Amino acid sequence: MNARVLRVLEYDKMKEQLKEHVASSLGRRKTEALEPYTDLGTARREQKRTEEGAKVLRLKGQAPLGGITDINAHLKRAQIGGTLHAGELLEIADTIYGGRRIKTFIETMVEEEVDLPQLAELTAPITPLTDLEREIKQSIDEHGGVLDSATPALRSIRQKIRGTEAEIRSKLEQLTRSSGQQKKLSDAIVTIRNDRYVVPVKQEYRSSFGGIVHDQSASGATLFIEPQSVVTMNNQLNEVRGQERQEIERILKELSGKVQDAVEELLENVHYLAELDFLFTKSYYAKALKATQPRLNGEGRLHFKQAKHPLLPEKEVVPIDVELGNTFSSLVITGPNTGGKTVTLKTAGLLTLMAQSGLFLPVEEDSEAAVFAAVFADIGDEQSIEQSLSTFSSHMTNIVDILEKVDDESLVLFDEIGAGTDPTEGAALAVSILDYVYDRGAKLVATTHFSELKGYAYNREGVMNASVEFDVETLRPTYRLLTGIPGRSNAFAISRRLGLDESIIEAAESEVNADARQVENMITSLEERQREAETEWEEARKTREEADQLHRELEQNLKELDQKKQDVLASAEDKAQKELEKARSEADAVIQDLRELQKQGHHVKEHELIDAKKRMDQAEPDLKKRQEKLKKQAEKEKTFEPGDEVKVLSFGQQGQVLEKTGSKEYRVQLGIMKVNVKADDMEKMKTEPVKQPIRPMAKVSANSSVKPELDLRGVRYEDAMREVEKYLDDAVLAGYPQVHIIHGKGTGALRKGVKELLKKHPSVAETRDGGMNEGGIGNTVARLK
């Protein structure tokens, strides 16, 4: 990928963010070398690896990568026979431990049936090398020092060193405590110079004190003298220390040889640990960005939903939707300066590069990214004084280079195309360049100021206009991207808002031709319609969410109610079963007593005992049969016939079944509405079923079925009053809890007469107007006593 493109799209700055999450120098090196992959298979593999790392972080919180170090240099020295120092050997042991720990960690998760094929593949080749790790740790402490326990010889040497040092200190401390010598000393202490024990002596007592001078103070007033009495012991101490150095050198050489024997396995371990560190670096970065995994394709389709530029502060960035490659392959963005055009361009480019690098993106779920063979970008002002290049020349130099290389596997990003020269010529040149890129089959996103390009998308198939929104009221951009709407000039609106004289504005407007004004008006209308559509869509979404929530709550309440019912029945049956068992036990005891009496000669007939036992068995209810019966009854209650009176639970309304429309679905009359309702959402009413669908009727006769409603529309006032009285009597006899008197709205006379009659009728408890789904004030609902 072109280094200049990576720079202008701020790919390197993104990598600096990524490097904040590395665990070792191994991961840092991999991150620094990261570039977008141009092969779809490789990009998908890297995305899969990042996904598995994110899964581990989600389930376990972190990955154990501590202790891992880049030991490649140590291994290469050991490979050619060099002796490693203790610190290098310790880093090798820590890296062996780190590799063993991450290997065990992943293997345990796989055993827990977590699907991690990529991580399993990366950890499988890691060799534990437990013996080498143990030998190094037994010889070297955590600070890089060789332990006494490394060998018996070293332990013996160091014991001799400690003994000799103690003897020397004891002898010198006696000297410093001597009253005859204290006046000659600057201080009564024992110190070390040149690896030999000495005491500080005043300069004037040099000749009388005797011994070997090893150092003096900065002022020269104090000399550090090794007394003659400890010279021999200091010589012995230095000799033993030499033996210690030789033994340590031997131990390190021996351990280095063991490292040399395992160098191939260690190099392979380091390779896979670098891959693992890099994998989890990407996963930690995804977690920090709250990023999601995009779908990848090789057809040039982009669809970033609510995308955010990763380098902008999260609280300040405005999410945008960017789409390209489905119905159109070129997107031309217009709008004012500082409105967000360049940020949109860079967001699309950088997110594409990130997706091709196996990174998750700061976008909403179900976003899509493409893998391109090349990404080209001409962004920013790169004029060069040294090369005598103007802004226009600089842009054209880059564009010429891009046009020589672009093909149908390219993504091209142009910022302010054609700018920096005569507007008419610049616009014409911009159109030609855009056509050329389009004809080559590349995907294109371009920004521009030229008003001539606003109509570009309308004249060419596969090209779409877009704009960045500007709020004229606040005189500030909103940074929202409006796809399908070209940007409009805000010069007159802004000038008017800032108080420019109206006559000046009108004069300027008159200079603008009718076509330009028509385009501006069209754009304004499109923006207003889009805002209205977005508002209505948001309201519809909220309404649907509320309805779905209500439906879920009702379903949950029904399940809980049914469960309570089953619990009560089970409890009652259990109690009945216990009572029956108790009665049976008592009856068996009585029968046993009777048999005893029979044996004793009392007159008790055998057939009477058998008969009594049989009657008792028959009296016991079969709970299993009862449960089956209840189950069949429940299933029957969920089967409805045309004419059945039901209550629709989700609406809380009563209605009548008209017909069956599916295996478990029925069409139901609810007032004036007919709706399709699932069987589980209905409950039979405890009323006499009506076997015919509801039909408007004018009269009710004694020999006909009584309907739950009386239709008086078209009936004369006096006849209607008689019909109502007769109907109420029949309805009471039929046992209806309430009835509907349909009188229509009309002049209101019939409605008033019906309400007065119902108010006085002894069988009517109360009345109300019909609801919204019951005909409103054209229907009076009467609840019967």
mmCIF file of all heavy atoms in Angstrom, residues 595-609:
data_model
loop_
_atom_site.group_PDB
_atom_site.id
_atom_site.type_symbol
_atom_site.label_atom_id
_atom_site.label_comp_id
_atom_site.label_asym_id
_atom_site.label_seq_id
_atom_site.Cartn_x
_atom_site.Cartn_y
_atom_site.Cartn_z
ATOM 1 N N ARG A 595 -61.842 -58.677 59.612
ATOM 2 C CA ARG A 595 -61.367 -60.037 59.349
ATOM 3 C C ARG A 595 -60.954 -60.732 60.652
ATOM 4 O O ARG A 595 -61.158 -61.927 60.842
ATOM 5 C CB ARG A 595 -60.190 -59.990 58.364
ATOM 6 C CG ARG A 595 -60.589 -59.601 56.951
ATOM 7 C CD ARG A 595 -59.431 -59.807 55.995
ATOM 8 N NE ARG A 595 -59.771 -59.345 54.649
ATOM 9 C CZ ARG A 595 -60.451 -60.076 53.769
ATOM 10 N NH1 ARG A 595 -60.879 -61.269 54.115
ATOM 11 N NH2 ARG A 595 -60.721 -59.590 52.563
ATOM 12 N N GLU A 596 -60.348 -59.941 61.550
ATOM 13 C CA GLU A 596 -59.968 -60.521 62.840
ATOM 14 C C GLU A 596 -61.205 -60.972 63.615
ATOM 15 O O GLU A 596 -61.219 -62.032 64.245
ATOM 16 C CB GLU A 596 -59.181 -59.487 63.656
ATOM 17 C CG GLU A 596 -57.793 -59.169 63.111
ATOM 18 C CD GLU A 596 -56.889 -60.373 63.138
ATOM 19 O OE1 GLU A 596 -57.024 -61.215 64.061
ATOM 20 O OE2 GLU A 596 -56.035 -60.492 62.212
ATOM 21 N N LEU A 597 -62.258 -60.140 63.529
ATOM 22 C CA LEU A 597 -63.507 -60.509 64.199
ATOM 23 C C LEU A 597 -64.099 -61.761 63.570
ATOM 24 O O LEU A 597 -64.661 -62.628 64.255
ATOM 25 C CB LEU A 597 -64.518 -59.364 64.119
ATOM 26 C CG LEU A 597 -64.179 -58.110 64.964
ATOM 27 C CD1 LEU A 597 -65.149 -56.996 64.634
ATOM 28 C CD2 LEU A 597 -64.217 -58.444 66.455
ATOM 29 N N GLN A 598 -63.979 -61.849 62.213
ATOM 30 C CA GLN A 598 -64.496 -63.028 61.510
ATOM 31 C C GLN A 598 -63.771 -64.279 61.970
ATOM 32 O O GLN A 598 -64.377 -65.336 62.179
ATOM 33 C CB GLN A 598 -64.323 -62.821 60.000
ATOM 34 C CG GLN A 598 -64.997 -63.886 59.133
ATOM 35 C CD GLN A 598 -64.735 -63.640 57.657
ATOM 36 O OE1 GLN A 598 -63.613 -63.303 57.286
ATOM 37 N NE2 GLN A 598 -65.759 -63.843 56.844
ATOM 38 N N LYS A 599 -62.463 -64.154 62.161
ATOM 39 C CA LYS A 599 -61.681 -65.301 62.614
ATOM 40 C C LYS A 599 -62.093 -65.733 64.021
ATOM 41 O O LYS A 599 -61.999 -66.892 64.401
ATOM 42 C CB LYS A 599 -60.190 -64.961 62.589
ATOM 43 C CG LYS A 599 -59.612 -64.851 61.184
ATOM 44 C CD LYS A 599 -58.140 -64.463 61.239
ATOM 45 C CE LYS A 599 -57.573 -64.295 59.850
ATOM 46 N NZ LYS A 599 -56.139 -63.895 59.887
ATOM 47 N N GLN A 600 -62.533 -64.728 64.821
ATOM 48 C CA GLN A 600 -62.912 -65.013 66.197
ATOM 49 C C GLN A 600 -64.343 -65.550 66.309
ATOM 50 O O GLN A 600 -64.858 -65.746 67.412
ATOM 51 C CB GLN A 600 -62.762 -63.748 67.044
ATOM 52 C CG GLN A 600 -61.319 -63.258 67.134
ATOM 53 C CD GLN A 600 -61.208 -61.903 67.799
ATOM 54 O OE1 GLN A 600 -62.201 -61.411 68.360
ATOM 55 N NE2 GLN A 600 -60.014 -61.320 67.739
ATOM 56 N N GLY A 601 -64.988 -65.736 65.125
ATOM 57 C CA GLY A 601 -66.317 -66.347 65.133
ATOM 58 C C GLY A 601 -67.471 -65.383 64.977
ATOM 59 O O GLY A 601 -68.635 -65.798 64.946
ATOM 60 N N HIS A 602 -67.180 -64.095 64.846
ATOM 61 C CA HIS A 602 -68.266 -63.137 64.650
ATOM 62 C C HIS A 602 -68.800 -63.263 63.232
ATOM 63 O O HIS A 602 -68.076 -63.614 62.310
ATOM 64 C CB HIS A 602 -67.767 -61.710 64.888
ATOM 65 C CG HIS A 602 -67.413 -61.453 66.337
ATOM 66 N ND1 HIS A 602 -68.342 -61.198 67.296
ATOM 67 C CD2 HIS A 602 -66.196 -61.481 66.957
ATOM 68 C CE1 HIS A 602 -67.738 -61.036 68.467
ATOM 69 N NE2 HIS A 602 -66.417 -61.209 68.292
ATOM 70 N N HIS A 603 -70.057 -62.907 63.036
ATOM 71 C CA HIS A 603 -70.734 -63.111 61.752
ATOM 72 C C HIS A 603 -70.434 -61.942 60.814
ATOM 73 O O HIS A 603 -71.063 -60.891 60.899
ATOM 74 C CB HIS A 603 -72.258 -63.257 61.973
ATOM 75 C CG HIS A 603 -72.978 -63.576 60.683
ATOM 76 N ND1 HIS A 603 -72.838 -64.802 60.024
ATOM 77 C CD2 HIS A 603 -73.823 -62.833 59.930
ATOM 78 C CE1 HIS A 603 -73.584 -64.794 58.939
ATOM 79 N NE2 HIS A 603 -74.202 -63.596 58.853
ATOM 80 N N VAL A 604 -69.403 -62.099 59.952
ATOM 81 C CA VAL A 604 -69.076 -61.105 58.929
ATOM 82 C C VAL A 604 -68.894 -61.849 57.612
ATOM 83 O O VAL A 604 -68.050 -62.734 57.517
ATOM 84 C CB VAL A 604 -67.774 -60.337 59.243
ATOM 85 C CG1 VAL A 604 -67.494 -59.324 58.155
ATOM 86 C CG2 VAL A 604 -67.865 -59.672 60.597
ATOM 87 N N LYS A 605 -69.729 -61.488 56.622
ATOM 88 C CA LYS A 605 -69.704 -62.208 55.346
ATOM 89 C C LYS A 605 -68.530 -61.717 54.471
ATOM 90 O O LYS A 605 -68.302 -60.515 54.343
ATOM 91 C CB LYS A 605 -71.023 -62.003 54.585
ATOM 92 C CG LYS A 605 -72.205 -62.607 55.320
ATOM 93 C CD LYS A 605 -73.491 -62.387 54.554
ATOM 94 C CE LYS A 605 -74.687 -63.006 55.289
ATOM 95 N NZ LYS A 605 -75.955 -62.785 54.552
ATOM 96 N N GLU A 606 -67.866 -62.704 53.819
ATOM 97 C CA GLU A 606 -66.696 -62.397 52.996
ATOM 98 C C GLU A 606 -67.053 -61.520 51.802
ATOM 99 O O GLU A 606 -66.333 -60.576 51.467
ATOM 100 C CB GLU A 606 -66.049 -63.697 52.507
ATOM 101 C CG GLU A 606 -64.797 -63.493 51.648
ATOM 102 C CD GLU A 606 -63.647 -62.891 52.428
ATOM 103 O OE1 GLU A 606 -63.604 -63.048 53.666
ATOM 104 O OE2 GLU A 606 -62.791 -62.231 51.810
ATOM 105 N N HIS A 607 -68.205 -61.860 51.168
ATOM 106 C CA HIS A 607 -68.562 -61.089 49.972
ATOM 107 C C HIS A 607 -68.864 -59.644 50.310
ATOM 108 O O HIS A 607 -68.696 -58.746 49.493
ATOM 109 C CB HIS A 607 -69.753 -61.751 49.247
ATOM 110 C CG HIS A 607 -71.074 -61.577 49.961
ATOM 111 N ND1 HIS A 607 -71.484 -62.444 50.978
ATOM 112 C CD2 HIS A 607 -72.049 -60.634 49.816
ATOM 113 C CE1 HIS A 607 -72.677 -62.038 51.416
ATOM 114 N NE2 HIS A 607 -73.033 -60.941 50.722
ATOM 115 N N GLU A 608 -69.290 -59.357 51.537
ATOM 116 C CA GLU A 608 -69.543 -57.977 51.953
ATOM 117 C C GLU A 608 -68.231 -57.208 52.094
ATOM 118 O O GLU A 608 -68.140 -56.021 51.744
ATOM 119 C CB GLU A 608 -70.326 -57.959 53.265
ATOM 120 C CG GLU A 608 -71.750 -58.478 53.125
ATOM 121 C CD GLU A 608 -72.466 -58.507 54.476
ATOM 122 O OE1 GLU A 608 -71.758 -58.337 55.498
ATOM 123 O OE2 GLU A 608 -73.682 -58.681 54.481
ATOM 124 N N LEU A 609 -67.195 -57.915 52.599
ATOM 125 C CA LEU A 609 -65.887 -57.261 52.706
ATOM 126 C C LEU A 609 -65.324 -56.919 51.327
ATOM 127 O O LEU A 609 -64.809 -55.826 51.083
ATOM 128 C CB LEU A 609 -64.902 -58.175 53.442
ATOM 129 C CG LEU A 609 -65.177 -58.415 54.930
ATOM 130 C CD1 LEU A 609 -64.216 -59.456 55.474
ATOM 131 C CD2 LEU A 609 -65.058 -57.128 55.706
#
